[in-house]
Amino acid sequence: MSDPKPDRILAEESDNPWVKLILWSDEHPVRPANRWNGFMKYLVEERRARLVSLKVTDARRLLLMKDWDIDSAELRRASPLSDEELENAKSLFPFGTDFSQLLPNITIDNLIFRKKLSFAGAIFARTISFKNCCFERPVDFYGANFEQWAIFSGSAFLEAVHFGDAQFRVAALFDRVTFCGQIDFYWSKNDRILDMSFRDAHFLNFTPMFHGQKLHPGCDFHGVTWPDIPKRNGHKKTEDTIKGALLAQITSYEFIRTQAEHIGQLELRKEMIRRELACRAELAEPSFERLLRKAYGWICDHGTSIGRPALALLCIWGFTFLAWRGWAAQEAAVTTWDVLYHTGGRMLPFVGGHAYVEEHTLKALRAAPHVLHFLSAMAAILSPFLLFLMALALRLKFRMSV
């Protein structure tokens, strides 16, 4: 049994200096990330100065610079803090902190952030952890640079979170994260490979947008809870809003489907096909096409269910069998086995139950009421379609498609 999550506390009540640095940076009236990046630049320069004092070879120095993440081009371009700002930032850390060694992994766990936060353009030179946090207001990571791991496991975003044009140079973890608002990871240059884990994540109201990103084969979507398909209710204003939501979901599902097919994640591809078709069925205007799309969803869950068409086939046969058996109870020439052969044969294409029925029994069956023959004809017409839908789902399940 896994350990329970630690209780969250308000960010303002935390004595974590990195949390204090975030809150102080967020007080900047224009661009909060400038303060964060300026302090990161200061730490890198302190580390670089310490490297010089070690008097190591050039090759060793380059190796240490790479290991300590102090050769970032983004940080070199960052604006330095003013003397007053630097003193304010340093005062957030315990007295006597050696800033030449302060480039550890940044841990900001088990906190509640009640204010809107902006990390737009922020640079995270080391692994940063936001595990089991709750962001009650929108969070903006637009253009952020994650040089190492980005860990958000177990956290909750109650409103929108924006990762547009953010660079994840190593994998990012969003396991068991709850997304209540909009979320996007779009990349405007269309050349970025995204390696992320969304195992057991919950997208409650919106599908994530990955446009411009290329999903890495290591991306994990196992156990994901996707949002419900919006339903129309007839009100014009609400209907327009729902139509927009359906179109947005279709666009996202189409993109994820193509990426899933490209990286060989066929289960994810199947789920995206199912959800995309469900959205299109809801989006279709009232017509025969809408009726067909709805029926397709009800009968076989948009080509993914084996059990539904099998159950429908069994129900049709059972109803037909009982109707014929009720009539046969009054006919001495027709037994239960005769009814079973007759009705079962009509349910299987290219198979005739008459081959197993005696001639005198066959004459009795032909003399049955027209309504029974109508039921048999309908069963014979519907059964090939249901068998086809079962075969379609079997093909998807056992990877028989190309």
Side-chain angles (χ1 to χ4, degrees):
M1 183 175 180
S2 59
D3 296 332
K5 292 182 180 179
D7 293 334
R8 295 166 175 158
I9 64 172
L10 290 175
E12 290 79 5
E13 299 175 357
S14 173
D15 57 0
N16 185 331
W18 296 108
V19 178
K20 295 178 180 178
L21 182 64
I22 287 176
L23 298 179
W24 173 73
S25 300
D26 201 59
E27 294 173 358
H28 192 281
V30 180
R31 199 174 178 204
N34 284 355
R35 286 183 171 179
W36 176 275
N37 293 346
F39 189 67
M40 293 294 107
K41 184 181 182 74
Y42 164 73
L43 295 181
V44 165
E45 290 174 347
E46 289 294 298
R47 266 292 175 99
R48 185 176 285 112
R50 184 167 180 267
L51 262 181
V52 173
S53 67
L54 293 178
K55 297 180 180 180
V56 295
T57 63
D58 291 342
R60 178 63 176 168
R61 183 179 293 108
L62 290 174
L63 183 62
L64 289 174
M65 288 176 67
K66 183 177 181 181
D67 184 53
W68 291 353
D69 292 313
I70 60 178
D71 196 26
S72 169
E74 286 77 9
L75 280 177
R76 286 199 298 269
R77 292 193 294 267
S79 301
L81 294 176
S82 65
D83 292 340
E84 181 181 356
E85 288 177 322
L86 182 58
E87 289 304 316
N88 286 336
K90 292 168 68 175
S91 69
L92 302 175
F93 291 80
F95 179 77
T97 298
D98 184 357
F99 291 98
S100 67
Q101 299 185 23
L102 195 62
L103 271 179
N105 295 341
I106 302 171
T107 301
I108 308 172
D109 297 343
N110 310 314
L111 296 173
I112 300 172
F113 294 92
R114 289 185 170 172
K115 296 181 179 179
K116 181 179 179 180
L117 295 177
S118 176
F119 296 95
I123 302 170
F124 302 102
R126 298 292 295 171
T127 293
I128 185 162
S129 172
F130 283 101
K131 288 191 293 187
N132 193 35
C133 288
C134 179
F135 300 90
E136 296 185 352
R137 299 297 304 279
V139 188
D140 187 6
F141 286 95
Y142 176 82
N145 192 319
F146 296 90
E147 296 282 348
Q148 297 293 328
W149 292 82
I151 305 173
F152 294 88
S153 301
S155 292
F157 294 93
L158 303 189
E159 294 193 22
V161 56
H162 188 26
F163 287 97
D165 279 347
Q167 297 188 61
F168 296 90
R169 301 185 185 277
V170 187
L173 304 182
F174 291 90
D175 299 334
R176 304 178 308 284
V177 171
T178 299
F179 299 97
C180 299
Q182 292 182 327
I183 174 173
D184 70 86
F185 296 92
Y186 76 78
W187 181 255
S188 58
K189 299 177 184 178
N190 198 32
D191 61 350
R192 197 76 190 164
I193 296 179
L194 194 64
D195 187 3
M196 288 187 170
S197 175
F198 292 96
R199 182 179 287 269
D200 297 323
H202 298 267
F203 299 101
L204 298 185
N205 300 303
F206 298 89
T207 53
M209 187 176 72
F210 296 100
H211 306 319
Q213 301 278 11
K214 298 177 181 178
L215 298 186
H216 189 277
C219 285
D220 188 350
F221 288 89
H222 288 96
V224 168
T225 299
W226 300 97
D228 293 334
I229 306 299
K231 303 294 183 182
R232 293 190 176 188
N233 58 12
H235 300 291
K236 177 61 178 174
K237 185 176 180 180
T238 307
E239 192 169 303
D240 290 342
T241 303
I242 292 176
K243 183 177 180 180
L246 286 168
L247 289 172
Q249 286 199 16
I250 289 172
T251 302
S252 294
Y253 292 142
E254 282 182 329
F255 185 82
I256 298 173
R257 172 178 57 79
T258 57
Q259 289 296 305
E261 187 171 2
H262 178 70
I263 62 178
Q265 294 196 12
L266 299 184
E267 281 296 325
L268 178 61
R269 171 182 174 269
K270 182 177 74 172
E271 177 64 15
M272 293 300 99
I273 291 174
R274 187 186 71 81
R275 300 188 69 83
E276 178 190 338
L277 291 176
C279 287
R280 291 190 183 279
E282 198 64 39
L283 186 63
E285 297 295 335
S287 62
F288 183 66
E289 178 192 353
R290 178 182 173 86
L291 180 61
L292 285 178
R293 287 183 176 275
K294 285 286 189 178
Y296 187 54
W298 295 329
I299 296 172
C300 67
D301 201 10
H302 302 284
T304 61
S305 173
I306 301 171
R308 288 190 188 184
L311 179 62
L313 194 65
L314 181 62
C315 289
I316 292 173
W317 172 78
F319 181 77
T320 306
F321 174 80
L322 290 175
W324 276 92
R325 183 68 188 88
W327 167 81
Q330 304 172 8
E331 298 291 329
V334 181
T335 66
T336 301
W337 286 108
D338 295 329
V339 173
L340 179 65
Y341 294 146
H342 176 70
T343 56
R346 301 304 300 271
M347 297 297 295
L348 298 175
F350 311 113
V351 176
H354 296 167
Y356 305 98
V357 179
E358 298 293 337
E359 184 63 28
H360 67 280
T361 304
L362 185 58
K363 290 180 180 180
L365 290 173
R366 287 172 179 170
H370 292 299
V371 65
L372 295 180
H373 289 292
F374 175 78
L375 289 177
S376 295
M378 293 304 299
I381 293 172
L382 292 175
S383 61
F385 291 102
L386 294 173
L387 290 170
F388 170 76
L389 294 177
M390 290 175 61
L392 184 65
L394 283 167
R395 187 184 69 166
L396 284 175
K397 184 176 181 62
F398 293 105
R399 311 288 191 270
M400 290 183 285
S401 60
V402 293

